[in-house]
């Protein structure tokens, strides 16, 4: 049995077979792969969670200094929501779980969500 040579698969190239069955030309194609989607972790305002608790959460889980954490907390308090950090999908999901668990354990209604960053 005669085996035909297979055309190599090269990302970003399209093989074009000539009519005569000879050489294969690899056409360069525009790159289609996209960078991974990033997710922002957002804290939501409520009327009951103490400001100090929110500041501590932002310091602890988002590695912010006290001044930055206080500024983010006040923005959430005034605007209703605020971005605490931007992460890969898995890390963002973990942050949401950690913050939600800490809030529940302390008996506060603090809500934390993650959402895709707009391009
Ligand atoms: N609004 C809350 C208060 O006045 C403080 C607060 C800030 C709560 C940010 C949640 O994500 C939050 N005690």
């Amino acid at each position: 049995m005669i085996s035909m040579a297979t055309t190599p698969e090269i990302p970003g190239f399209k093989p074009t077979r000539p009519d005569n069955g000879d050489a294969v030309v690899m056409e360069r194609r525009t790159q289609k792969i996209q960078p991974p989607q990033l997710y922002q972790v957002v804290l939501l305002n409520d009327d009951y969670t103490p400001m100090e608790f929110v500041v501590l959460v932002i310091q602890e889980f988002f590695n912010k200094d006290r001044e930055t954490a206080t500024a983010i907390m006040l923005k959430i308090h005034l605007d209703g929501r605020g971005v605490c950090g931007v992460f890969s999908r898995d890390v963002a999901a973990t942050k949401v779980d950690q913050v939600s668990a800490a809030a529940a354990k302390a008996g506060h209604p603090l809500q934390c969500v993650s959402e895709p960053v707009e391009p």
Side-chain angles (χ1 to χ4, degrees):
M1 175 188 152
I2 300 167
S3 65
M4 297 282 285
T6 54
T7 306
E9 284 188 26
I10 304 173
F13 288 85
K14 174 185 184 288
T16 301
R17 295 172 188 286
D19 294 340
N20 64 11
D22 279 353
V24 171
V25 173
M26 303 301 281
E27 262 180 71
R28 186 184 291 280
R29 305 209 113 182
T30 27
Q31 188 60 273
K32 293 238 176 57
I33 57 167
Q34 304 292 334
Q37 173 72 60
L38 292 174
Y39 288 74
Q40 56 193 21
V41 176
V42 176
L43 283 184
L44 306 180
N45 188 38
D46 65 71
D47 291 338
Y48 305 103
T49 304
M51 290 183 175
E52 177 62 17
F53 181 80
V54 179
V55 171
L56 291 174
V57 159
I58 296 170
Q59 286 186 259
E60 173 78 14
F61 296 109
F62 301 99
N63 304 313
K64 304 298 188 192
D65 60 35
R66 185 151 184 98
E67 202 181 340
T68 304
T70 302
I72 294 171
M73 182 280 295
L74 284 175
K75 190 219 177 274
I76 302 165
H77 179 70
L78 295 172
D79 296 353
R81 70 200 304 276
V83 176
C84 294
V86 174
F87 308 96
S88 66
R89 188 177 60 174
D90 288 0
V91 173
T94 300
K95 299 285 180 193
V96 170
D97 289 349
Q98 289 174 329
V99 170
S100 302
K105 188 176 175 193
H108 300 311
L110 180 63
Q111 296 290 301
C112 182
V113 298
S114 77
E115 54 192 37
V117 174
E118 298 297 330

